[in-house]
Amino acid sequence: MRQARKRHLIEAQIPALRRFAYALARDGALADDLVQDCLERALSRWHLLRTGPELRAWLFRVLRNLHIDMLRARGRRGAVTLDEAPEPAHPGSAESALELAEVLRVLWTLPLDQREAILLIGVEDFSYEDAARILEVPVGTLMSRLARGRAALRAATGREGGGRPNLRRVK
């Protein structure tokens, strides 16, 4: 494959890789380092990729494995407090901003395996098969993690019945 085409295919995936890395690391600098390491590893091991359509899943798998290696090397960090959680940009109403902030807060408290499943399926729009391949687990395991994660999100945000969250107004 020509170098320009290879570069184009990889560059198209950088925003999604960056989003996923940030969601895993919760730190912009660490996310950038993870993406850079992922791209370096992908380019140096390009010959291992067999078919074009699997590139996206392969890159996400490389990124996730690098993140796991980083966690092992540094030791697990404690849970993020609300003061440490980054503030996302919120277009729209104040109520929707509060809802989004609450969902993100709860997302950070989920176990890593459930958070990865939600991010790959719900945010990055991978199929169950591709997400399972990225996480190196059976599809049933992925579906179980996804169901537990979604249930935890619903319970923690007051959406058990699928409706709007139970937000209270402060006057």
Side-chain angles (χ1 to χ4, degrees), residues 22 44-45 47 49 54 76 79 84 87 103 115 124 141:
Y22 185 78
S44 69
R45 291 171 175 79
H47 64 282
L49 184 63
E54 294 181 358
R76 291 204 178 261
E84 295 171 338
E87 283 295 318
V103 169
R115 189 169 63 236
E124 298 303 332
T141 300

Side-chain angles (χ1 to χ4, degrees), residues 80-109:
V80 173
T81 66
L82 284 178
D83 295 332
E84 295 171 338
E87 283 295 318
H90 301 289
S93 70
E95 187 174 309
S96 66
L98 288 173
E99 289 176 22
L100 178 59
E102 177 66 11
V103 169
L104 289 175
R105 184 191 64 76
V106 174
L107 183 65
W108 299 134
T109 65

Side-chain angles (χ1 to χ4, degrees), residues 1-141:
M1 180 177 290
R2 293 184 16 220
Q3 283 295 98
R5 173 131 169 85
K6 180 188 336 180
R7 188 177 70 226
H8 175 70
L9 289 172
I10 289 178
E11 284 176 356
Q13 300 305 318
I14 291 175
L17 289 169
R18 174 86 171 65
R19 220 176 12 251
F20 187 57
Y22 185 78
L24 293 175
R26 294 179 279 196
D27 179 276
L30 285 176
D32 289 340
D33 290 345
L34 278 172
V35 171
Q36 181 177 346
D37 292 347
C38 174
L39 297 175
E40 288 175 10
R41 187 161 294 182
L43 290 172
S44 69
R45 291 171 175 79
W46 187 261
H47 64 282
L48 297 176
L49 184 63
R50 296 186 183 181
T51 59
E54 294 181 358
L55 173 66
R56 187 167 189 251
W58 183 62
L59 287 170
F60 273 76
R61 187 169 48 250
V62 168
L63 181 85
R64 178 183 176 267
N65 289 341
L66 286 168
H67 179 253
I68 290 170
D69 292 345
M70 181 193 74
L71 288 176
R72 287 180 183 148
R74 300 173 102 213
R76 291 204 178 261
R77 291 174 51 181
V80 173
T81 66
L82 284 178
D83 295 332
E84 295 171 338
E87 283 295 318
H90 301 289
S93 70
E95 187 174 309
S96 66
L98 288 173
E99 289 176 22
L100 178 59
E102 177 66 11
V103 169
L104 289 175
R105 184 191 64 76
V106 174
L107 183 65
W108 299 134
T109 65
L110 293 178
L112 180 61
D113 59 346
Q114 293 174 18
R115 189 169 63 236
E116 288 173 335
I118 287 172
L119 291 169
L120 289 173
I121 299 295
V123 177
E124 298 303 332
D125 202 28
F126 277 101
S127 68
Y128 285 8
E129 293 78 16
D130 286 343
R133 207 172 308 123
I134 290 167
L135 299 176
E136 298 174 328
V137 296
V139 174
T141 300

